[in-house]
């Protein structure tokens, strides 16, 4: 046995004896085995593409509702910019309200938001199928997968409504 292999076996035996190092090594190994980088980038791309229509809907609604009070709109956009790290101020600084045809902007934003969020839900479902090693024939087809995505989004929306209602009861 060569010296490099002997050293690697000693390091491996040592890390197996200590639970924290074995856990960290196991997590890193599982992440690499499941192509974690690809799955995470897929989720990040899907979430980023659903963020822009959401911002369009927000700015359009603010343009329709808060057209009288410009400071309120600026406060809301500043709060949104604080929620998106690094690029939030650039996003909100480059978005302007739609003067004419704001209903068209709202419709386009809502359709894009539904499309992007369904893509995000499907990317999440695909990620979990990959992590759980679900074989290809056992995975749902397009229509059942789309139905699961819509069900997930409905459940998520209902959860937001319930938690918003519960938090408003305390104030």
């Amino acid at each position: 046995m060569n010296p490099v292999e002997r050293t690697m076996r000693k390091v491996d035996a040592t890390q197996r004896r200590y639970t924290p190092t074995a856990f960290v090594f196991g997590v890193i190994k599982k992440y690499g085995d499941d192509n974690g980088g690809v799955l995470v980038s897929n989720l990040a791309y899907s979430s980023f593409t659903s963020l822009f229509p959401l911002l369009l809907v927000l700015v359009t609604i603010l343009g329709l509702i808060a057209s009288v009070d410009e400071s309120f709109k600026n406060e809301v956009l500043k709060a949104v910019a604080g929620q998106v790290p690094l690029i939030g101020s650039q996003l909100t600084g480059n978005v302007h309200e739609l003067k004419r045809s704001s209903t068209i902007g709202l419709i386009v934003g809502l359709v894009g938001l539904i499309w992007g969020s369904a893509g995000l839900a499907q990317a999440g479902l695909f990620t979990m199928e990959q992590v759980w090693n679900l074989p290809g024939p056992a995975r749902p087809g397009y229509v059942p997968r789309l139905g699961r995505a819509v069900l997930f989004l409905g459940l998520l929306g209902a959860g937001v409504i319930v938690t918003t209602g519960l938090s408003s009861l305390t104030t």
Side-chain angles (χ1 to χ4, degrees):
M1 181 179 328
N2 66 26
V4 174
E5 187 176 349
R6 189 177 317 120
T7 305
M8 290 301 295
R9 287 183 187 234
K10 285 181 183 179
V11 169
D12 186 42
T14 303
Q15 71 89 17
R16 287 183 186 194
R17 276 185 264 148
Y18 298 107
T19 305
T21 57
F23 177 75
V24 170
F25 181 77
V27 168
I28 292 170
K29 178 105 171 84
K30 178 70 173 159
Y31 184 81
D33 289 346
D34 289 339
N35 287 327
V38 173
L39 297 174
V40 167
S41 66
N42 187 16
L43 285 172
Y45 172 77
S46 298
S47 62
F48 199 68
T49 56
S50 63
L51 178 70
F52 286 110
L54 182 63
L55 190 59
L56 176 65
V57 168
L58 173 72
V59 170
T60 305
I61 289 174
L62 282 176
L64 292 172
I65 294 174
S67 59
V68 177
D69 190 10
E70 191 72 23
S71 64
F72 174 72
K73 184 178 85 167
N74 291 334
E75 287 178 25
V76 170
L77 288 177
K78 186 177 177 184
V80 168
Q83 297 296 318
V84 181
L86 299 175
I87 61 169
S89 60
Q90 292 175 348
L91 286 177
T92 56
N94 292 328
V95 176
H96 305 288
E97 71 177 272
L98 303 170
K99 300 279 185 193
R100 298 176 294 167
S101 70
S102 58
T103 54
I104 293 173
L106 184 63
I107 291 169
V108 167
L110 286 173
V111 167
L113 180 63
I114 291 169
W115 182 267
S117 58
L120 177 60
Q122 287 192 17
L125 290 170
F126 176 76
T127 299
M128 296 316 296
E129 290 167 352
Q130 287 291 107
V131 170
W132 291 331
N133 290 329
L134 195 63
R139 294 182 183 190
Y142 178 73
V143 175
R145 195 174 63 230
L146 190 61
R148 286 182 184 181
V150 169
L151 183 66
F152 171 73
L153 292 174
L155 182 65
L156 188 65
V160 168
I161 291 170
V162 168
T163 56
T164 302
L166 290 176
S167 66
S168 68
L169 290 176
T170 62
T171 58

